[in-house]
Amino acid sequence: MAVGGDLAEQLALAAGAAGVPDIAVVGDNDTAAAHLEFIPRPSDVVLVKASRGGQLWRIAQALTGQPITSL
């Protein structure tokens, strides 16, 4: 799990308390994509969630090998 934004620390603490084993507090999308690059297995489903302003589609593109686009 990679979390960022204003509530990242609180989200990470709550996830850890709920038993999530691998949590990183990240400062930007590139760091999140790099953290997540080797964690999912081929059969895993990855949820990337935020407002459009977070541009998290860029993380999904990086994880699936697609070219990184902007708005």
Side-chain angles (χ1 to χ4, degrees):
M1 170 181 233
V3 295
D6 296 337
L7 300 175
E9 187 174 333
Q10 291 88 342
L11 289 169
L13 290 171
V20 176
D22 186 12
I23 307 160
V25 176
V26 297
D28 58 47
N29 290 346
D30 293 335
T31 305
H35 173 74
L36 295 170
E37 184 175 2
F38 299 106
I39 294 173
R41 297 172 301 223
S43 62
D44 286 347
V45 175
V46 177
L47 172 65
V48 180
K49 174 69 179 96
S51 65
R52 287 189 58 87
Q55 299 184 21
L56 293 189
W57 69 83
R58 297 174 59 147
I59 296 172
Q61 289 172 326
L63 292 175
T64 59
Q66 299 176 29
I68 307 301
T69 60
S70 61
L71 289 175

